[in-house]
Amino acid sequence: RRAPEPLHYDELARAWAAAANGEPLDVAALADHEPMTRELAFALFCHATRVLAQRHVASSGSGEPLVFDKDDAPALWFVAATASLRSYVFGIAQRSVFDVKAIAGNIIPAVATTNAIAAGLMAVQGIRLLQQRRAGRSAIESCCTAYLAYSAKRPRSILREPLAPPNPRCPVCRRRYLTLRVLDFEKTTLGMLLQHVAALVELGDDLSVVEGARLLCDPDYQDNLGASLRSLRVAEGAMLTVACEDDAAVVPVVLSLAAPRDGSQADALVLEGIERVPHFEPLPSPSPSESSPDEQTDDGGVEVVDDEVGKRRVTRDARPVLPADSANKKRAVDVVTID
């Protein structure tokens, strides 16, 4: 596979000007059944972008974002031109506008495209965080949660919020994520790994090791302790969860297995990241109101009671209709029925 070839706006603009002899793009003469050249895809992309931008400005008062429709010519041109330019970047076979229209009407490519866009944005954000960390700035504090808002009351379509602090009751937040660098997966056994981790992290006595859905060992199954990691099909990049079977208050450890950074590692196992693991106090036992699913009341006055089979009635206290000293008077409540 060849490396991606980046495209530059100025170069494509000069190439299209030379190919069209300075004439504007005639979309009426566009050949829908033929793949586009790089210059034509660039010109169609610019034309569709201008048309859609003008449409968005004209409808900006409604607050609704533009919606793709395969029967809408400017929207189809934009998607086809973008896909063609991306194909030139990554060396993918070209498709005509007619082919793109047929593909856009299928839900599977739409889901795959959405996943690719989200994965690309995540990769860009990951690179930015690594650059901030290399520069000595805190990367986690600059992270945020971004989401789309479709309400017309919002001034923006994309909103961002800072990340919430770790929740001590969240089973994901409570886990400690560490990196374990293994010198030789052929010589290192599961027992050596478990002994090394238990000596550095307080986990208790009766431990279990799980990789995904595979149980590698637990207090009643220790046949694999003498087996090498390679024989257990545990290689670089594997994620092992080490947990205490007898004490639920002990926070599990998730190990990301990796190769040594360079050839200077002499120890068979090196555990990294202990100094960055957050400390969680043992969780108190749940109160009766938390453990009872039939009736719960929180500080905000929310009460959940079983109403009928398959339904729940949620009542939320609102402002009292009468003064607070009228103890014998009823208060107003909002009732929401949830199927």
Side-chain angles (χ1 to χ4, degrees):
R1 179 186 301 180
R2 69 171 179 82
E5 179 184 352
L7 300 178
H8 301 280
Y9 182 92
D10 295 336
E11 296 179 1
L12 290 175
R14 288 193 296 267
W16 167 249
N21 295 323
E23 296 293 332
L25 175 65
D26 185 8
V27 293
L30 185 64
D32 292 348
H33 290 76
E34 296 181 3
M36 290 181 285
T37 63
R38 187 176 310 185
E39 294 77 15
L40 179 58
F42 168 78
L44 186 61
F45 171 79
C46 295
H47 174 77
T49 301
R50 285 193 296 268
V51 174
L52 294 176
Q54 293 172 1
R55 182 185 300 178
H56 179 68
V57 171
S59 62
S60 59
S62 63
E64 295 294 330
L66 296 178
V67 179
F68 172 78
D69 186 353
K70 62 183 179 63
D71 296 322
D72 181 16
L76 181 62
W77 295 338
F78 178 83
V79 172
T82 305
S84 181
L85 293 174
R86 183 174 182 269
S87 299
Y88 280 113
V89 171
F90 293 97
I92 304 173
Q94 295 292 318
R95 296 295 186 96
S96 65
V97 176
F98 181 81
D99 294 334
V100 172
K101 183 176 182 179
I103 295 173
N106 193 338
I107 187 60
I108 301 303
V111 173
T113 302
T114 304
N115 292 340
I117 293 174
L121 292 175
M122 293 171 63
V124 171
Q125 291 297 318
I127 294 175
R128 183 177 67 88
L129 294 178
L130 291 176
Q131 290 176 344
Q132 291 183 356
R133 183 175 177 181
R134 179 176 298 179
R137 297 191 299 269
S138 177
I140 299 299
E141 294 179 357
S142 62
C143 292
C144 64
T145 299
Y147 60 92
L148 291 176
Y150 297 98
S151 175
K153 298 179 181 179
R154 302 278 189 174
R156 292 179 296 176
S157 296
I158 301 180
L159 304 179
R160 54 182 293 174
E161 292 180 353
L163 294 181
N167 183 1
R169 294 190 178 276
C170 174
V172 177
C173 295
R174 282 185 59 80
R175 294 187 178 185
R176 293 172 283 186
Y177 293 85
L178 305 175
T179 300
L180 182 63
R181 300 196 176 274
V182 183
L183 183 62
D184 192 340
F185 285 86
E186 185 67 38
K187 297 180 180 181
T188 303
T189 64
L190 182 62
M192 295 169 57
L193 182 149
L194 195 59
Q195 182 179 5
H196 181 80
V197 174
L200 298 176
V201 184
E202 297 182 3
L203 290 172
D205 297 328
D206 297 330
L207 303 179
S208 64
V209 182
V210 178
E211 183 201 14
R214 287 200 306 155
L215 176 65
L216 299 181
C217 76
D218 67 2
D220 299 325
Y221 175 64
Q222 300 186 359
D223 298 347
N224 294 330
L225 292 180
S228 66
L229 298 179
R230 190 175 301 279
S231 65
L232 296 175
R233 303 191 306 277
V234 176
E236 181 181 356
M239 304 289 289
L240 303 183
T241 302
V242 184
C244 181
E245 292 291 314
D246 294 337
D247 192 353
V250 177
V251 181
V253 171
V254 180
L255 302 174
S256 175
L257 303 190
R261 293 182 180 273
D262 48 38
S264 61
Q265 178 175 326
D267 298 331
L269 297 168
V270 174
L271 192 62
E272 298 179 351
I274 300 180
E275 66 281 357
R276 296 189 300 270
V277 173
H279 175 70
F280 292 113
E281 297 294 339
L283 293 178
S285 301
S287 61
S289 61
E290 294 175 343
S291 59
S292 175
D294 294 335
E295 184 171 350
Q296 298 181 3
T297 304
D298 65 1
D299 295 337
V302 178
E303 184 180 2
V304 181
V305 266
D306 288 333
D307 189 10
E308 300 174 7
V309 178
K311 292 187 177 181
R312 307 276 280 175
R313 189 175 76 254
V314 182
T315 62
R316 182 182 301 275
D317 291 342
R319 292 196 187 101
V321 177
L322 299 177
D325 55 357
S326 301
N328 296 327
K329 303 297 182 179
K330 294 182 178 180
R331 293 187 302 168
V333 296
D334 297 331
V335 180
V336 181
T337 302
I338 303 176
D339 292 327

